[in-house]
Amino acid sequence: MWQFVKYSLATVVGLFLFAIVSLLLLAGVGAAMDSSDEVYDLKDNSVLKLDLNRPIVENATTEDNPFAALTDLYFAPPENLGLIQVLSALERAKVDPKIKGIYLDASFPIAGYAQLSEIREAIQKFKKSGKFVYAYANSYTEKGYYVSSVADKTYLNPNGLLDFNGISVQYTFYKKALDKLEIEPLVFRVGTYKSAVEPFIREDMSEENKAQTSSFLQSINTYVFDKIARSKNIPVRKLDLIADSLQAFEPSNAEKLGMVKQGYWDEFEALLKKGSGEKEKVIYVSVNNYLKAKNPIEEVEGKDRIAVLVAEGEISGTRASEGNIGSDDFVKELKKLRESKSVKAIVLRIDSPGGSSLASDIMWREIELTKKVKPIISSMSNYAASGGYYMAMGTDVIVAQPTTITGSIGIFAAWFNVDNFLKNTLGITQDHVNTHANSNFMTSAGALTDFQKSVVQKSVNKGYLSFTTKAAAGRKMTLQRLQSVAGGRVWTGAQAKQIGLVDELGGLDKAIEIAAAKVKLKPGTYKVSVYPKAKSFVDELLNSATSETSLSERLLAKNIPWASSVLEVNRWKKREGFLAMMPYLMEFE
């Protein structure tokens, strides 16, 4: 029924939008072709504008977005900022005589704490060049202030606000809604802490989930407050008191506490003029434009390369949609790098909460094969949990940020019995003719028998044993020891290092250094290449227009309140195999 409705609406919406999208594509292709080969003319006394108020992904195109004026429309591709591109720009700017300093604009960054920590560390290294770093915002979120506190001067509009009250996470639960709709969720899992299914079977968090959430939140908060304390020369105890009593909410109080300096934009820009040596106006350069300018760092001669393979998004199956990880594409890319003579070592950059256990295992196998040929090092970003950890556990060395969310070693399966919902709410009934007792097993949307439930649970148990056995081998632990820190429990990178799930703490640069050392390559003697190549905005629009979650589906999700829930259930059904995922819909605030 839903397939009929979906494709009917897709046809209507598709016809309506075809002409508009075609015109946009033609204009975008022309604009992209005109600007693709241009070298940016970088002026003397330039200020690198680091705008973090966008979705930050691991790897993004540096091409100008030809659809920037249409970003409020549902079909316009998002203007993402690549973490790898930011790190590269900061590394160049540090030695570039034309760059006098950085204007840091990070009032509400759309990124995880691990990515922000990596950027913050890179800015800290940039400051050692003696160049200035000034930050300004009308208001700061918790994450925004964390990054901006590294600046030499952190400005805040006198009428703005500073959200500094500690870190929290909120879960949404659907049990009552499912009860009202007469949808019965059937859950099969292994692990006391495997809480990804809790939103469907509970109205609140279990005690185990509360315990693990409190533990990793406190670990992240401790790290963040320590960094702020060091940058602003304020004791952590005082920061705790400030957060508890909301003392920094008002800019005037925040200034008295030494956390910010009040100022309007014109006052801040006067500071930038003075720092850059320009009297008339500040010469700003964006990250993308700066990376199109002449590189002040001489290109390394020779063919030796360290390859960075980015695995970002949910592991959705063997064939993934745009923005997710699919084992078919991953295996193809990794095999190329394994067989390349110029690639001496590989860094696997993971930012994934997990997903399909089948796809995770397929990728793990390819990593094991690669490890026999050349070193492969894991670099964990915001998340490398469950299926994300499944990938990492096969590598030679695991590197994580202290604030990375990892672990969640466990597997679950979920089944939704929608018979009563279809019958009582929609007036739809089903009937079956079978040749055998279980011919319709897991093919209809109905209830499962006790026998069928036992079959699913046995398979989940088998998957968990396979996961933990392979993890134990990869971490050189006994199975008993590994399972004591598994059970679906989530850890931060700092905690994971203490219990042996992670080898080193650090960012992508640390992982690259380890990879180079493994093959005895000295700094400055090798190139770093990133795979897969970032897609242009035009490519992303073309992919989104032809993907299963296409323009019509996104229009439905945006404008029809219940449609997003139906599409979400549909997305769950498309996943292959059982699931190795971390707690669902976790957003730090």
Side-chain angles (χ1 to χ4, degrees):
M1 177 66 181
W2 171 244
Q3 293 294 322
F4 171 76
V5 173
K6 184 179 78 169
Y7 288 118
S8 296
L9 286 172
T11 301
V12 174
V13 175
L15 289 172
F16 177 75
L17 295 172
F18 179 76
I20 298 175
V21 173
S22 297
L23 289 173
L24 289 173
L25 285 174
L26 287 172
V29 169
M33 290 179 65
D34 287 341
S35 61
S36 58
D37 296 326
E38 290 182 4
V39 177
Y40 183 78
D41 182 19
L42 183 66
K43 306 296 184 183
D44 290 334
N45 299 328
S46 291
V47 174
L48 179 63
K49 182 180 179 181
L50 194 53
D51 179 4
L52 304 183
N53 302 314
R54 297 184 269 164
I56 297 178
V57 297
E58 292 298 312
N59 188 30
T61 180
T62 57
E63 289 183 11
D64 294 328
N65 182 359
F67 311 104
L70 304 171
T71 51
D72 288 337
L73 298 180
Y74 73 94
F75 51 81
E79 194 170 357
N80 295 330
L81 180 65
L83 174 67
I84 290 172
Q85 283 67 41
V86 171
L87 300 179
S88 177
L90 290 171
E91 187 67 22
R92 293 185 186 187
K94 187 168 56 176
V95 297
D96 195 330
K98 292 187 175 183
I99 296 293
K100 296 302 179 182
I102 291 175
Y103 157 38
L104 178 57
D105 182 6
S107 54
F108 54 95
I110 307 172
Y113 276 103
Q115 287 179 327
L116 297 177
S117 294
E118 201 139 353
I119 293 172
R120 197 180 190 279
E121 289 167 9
I123 295 173
Q124 190 75 56
K125 292 177 181 177
F126 173 88
K127 288 172 63 177
K128 293 180 180 179
S129 67
K131 301 177 182 183
F132 68 82
V133 179
Y134 299 148
Y136 182 88
N138 288 324
S139 294
Y140 285 112
T141 61
E142 196 99 30
K143 289 179 179 178
Y145 182 71
Y146 168 54
V147 179
S148 301
S149 64
V150 75
D152 301 307
K153 296 182 186 295
T154 307
Y155 270 72
L156 176 61
N157 187 300
N159 289 302
L161 60 87
L162 172 55
D163 180 17
F164 187 78
N165 53 8
I167 302 171
S168 67
V169 65
Q170 181 172 300
Y171 300 103
T172 301
F173 295 85
Y174 309 104
K175 184 181 184 303
K176 281 194 172 182
L178 294 176
D179 288 345
K180 288 181 179 180
L181 293 171
E182 296 186 274
I183 297 175
E184 179 192 9
L186 303 175
V187 170
F188 310 88
R189 58 176 170 172
V190 181
T192 307
Y193 296 94
K194 200 63 183 174
S195 54
V197 294
E198 286 191 358
F200 304 109
I201 60 175
R202 294 182 60 94
E203 297 176 18
D204 55 7
M205 298 168 67
S206 66
E207 290 303 315
E208 292 82 7
N209 193 12
K210 284 183 179 178
Q212 74 165 347
T213 303
S214 176
S215 177
F216 69 68
L217 274 186
Q218 190 57 53
S219 176
I220 294 172
N221 195 84
T222 297
Y223 180 82
V224 167
F225 273 39
D226 179 69
K227 291 297 183 182
I228 294 173
R230 292 173 184 271
S231 294
K232 294 304 181 186
N233 196 27
I234 303 173
V236 171
R237 286 186 180 181
K238 186 174 181 180
L239 288 176
D240 287 332
L241 179 62
I242 293 170
D244 283 335
S245 54
L246 301 179
Q247 292 181 34
F249 193 75
E250 292 290 337
S252 57
N253 288 338
E255 184 174 45
K256 291 176 184 177
L257 293 166
M259 299 182 72
V260 299
K261 180 174 177 57
Q262 292 185 95
Y264 288 99
W265 171 253
D266 59 290
E267 296 173 305
F268 176 73
E269 195 164 40
L271 182 69
L272 290 179
K273 289 178 184 178
K274 183 179 179 181
S276 64
E278 287 291 320
K279 295 181 180 180
E280 296 299 323
K281 63 179 182 179
V282 181
I283 304 171
Y284 298 106
V285 56
S286 68
V287 168
N288 284 352
N289 281 339
Y290 180 59
L291 290 176
K292 296 172 189 173
K294 183 180 178 182
N295 192 343
I297 302 174
E298 290 187 14
E299 186 176 348
V300 175
E301 296 182 1
K303 296 182 179 180
D304 292 344
R305 285 183 292 153
I306 302 293
V308 176
L309 178 58
V310 176
E312 183 174 21
E314 184 184 314
I315 303 168
S316 59
T318 52
R319 299 186 68 183
S321 58
E322 186 65 23
N324 291 335
I325 304 170
S327 57
D328 284 357
D329 291 337
F330 179 89
V331 166
K332 183 179 179 181
E333 200 76 43
L334 185 55
K335 189 175 180 181
K336 282 183 186 177
L337 298 178
R338 183 172 72 234
E339 295 174 351
S340 172
K341 293 182 180 179
S342 62
V343 173
K344 303 303 179 184
I346 300 167
V347 172
L348 178 58
R349 178 68 174 184
I350 304 171
D351 189 17
S352 175
S356 164
S357 60
L358 170 61
S360 299
D361 192 67
I362 291 172
M363 292 187 291
W364 168 84
R365 176 61 179 173
E366 199 66 25
I367 290 166
E368 286 287 313
L369 295 175
T370 300
K371 189 166 62 173
K372 295 177 182 179
V373 177
K374 58 186 65 173
I376 180 167
I377 314 299
S378 290
S379 172
M380 294 179 170
S381 185
N382 293 318
Y383 303 102
S386 212
Y389 190 81
Y390 207 124
M391 298 167 66
M393 69 189 187
T395 60
D396 294 293
V397 180
I398 299 178
V399 182
Q401 282 285 353
T403 52
T404 295
I405 297 297
T406 187
S408 192
I409 299 172
I411 289 179
F412 73 91
W415 182 257
F416 294 92
N417 175 9
V418 297
D419 268 350
N420 288 331
F421 168 70
L422 293 174
K423 180 174 65 177
N424 300 331
T425 304
L426 301 181
I428 298 172
T429 57
Q430 299 182 0
D431 204 354
H432 306 279
V433 176
N434 303 327
T435 60
H436 293 76
N438 294 290
S439 294
N440 67 332
F441 176 45
M442 299 192 84
T443 58
S444 70
L448 300 179
T449 67
D450 289 341
F451 169 72
Q452 290 170 340
K453 291 176 184 178
S454 70
V455 171
V456 177
Q457 187 62 57
K458 285 179 183 177
S459 295
V460 171
N461 293 345
K462 180 182 176 182
Y464 179 71
L465 180 60
S466 175
F467 191 168
T468 53
T469 299
K470 291 170 180 175
R475 301 311 300 155
K476 296 180 174 56
M477 293 183 184
T478 64
L479 180 59
Q480 183 180 12
R481 167 61 181 154
L482 190 284
Q483 289 185 343
S484 72
V485 297
R489 177 151 186 170
V490 173
W491 309 93
T492 63
Q495 293 172 325
K497 186 176 185 302
Q498 292 178 344
I499 59 177
L501 295 181
V502 163
D503 296 302
E504 300 282 348
L505 295 179
L508 181 59
D509 57 345
K510 178 81 169 181
I512 292 172
E513 289 173 9
I514 293 172
K518 286 277 186 182
V519 289
K520 299 179 180 179
L521 290 177
K522 296 181 180 179
T525 64
Y526 59 88
K527 301 176 183 177
V528 177
S529 301
V530 182
Y531 303 90
K533 300 301 181 184
K535 292 182 178 179
S536 68
F537 290 105
V538 174
D539 289 335
E540 288 181 2
L541 186 60
L542 285 169
N543 287 334
S544 66
T546 57
S547 68
E548 289 188 42
T549 52
S550 59
L551 298 177
S552 57
E553 289 196 4
R554 276 176 279 153
L555 180 63
L556 286 172
K558 184 173 182 180
N559 295 287
I560 302 177
W562 52 265
S564 59
S565 299
V566 177
L567 291 173
E568 177 62 20
V569 171
N570 193 45
R571 188 166 66 94
W572 273 58
K573 288 168 62 180
K574 289 178 184 177
R575 296 181 178 123
E576 299 172 83
F578 297 125
L579 299 176
M581 289 191 73
M582 60 172 288
Y584 205 55
L585 294 177
M586 184 165 62
E587 179 65 27
F588 295 107
E589 296 176 350

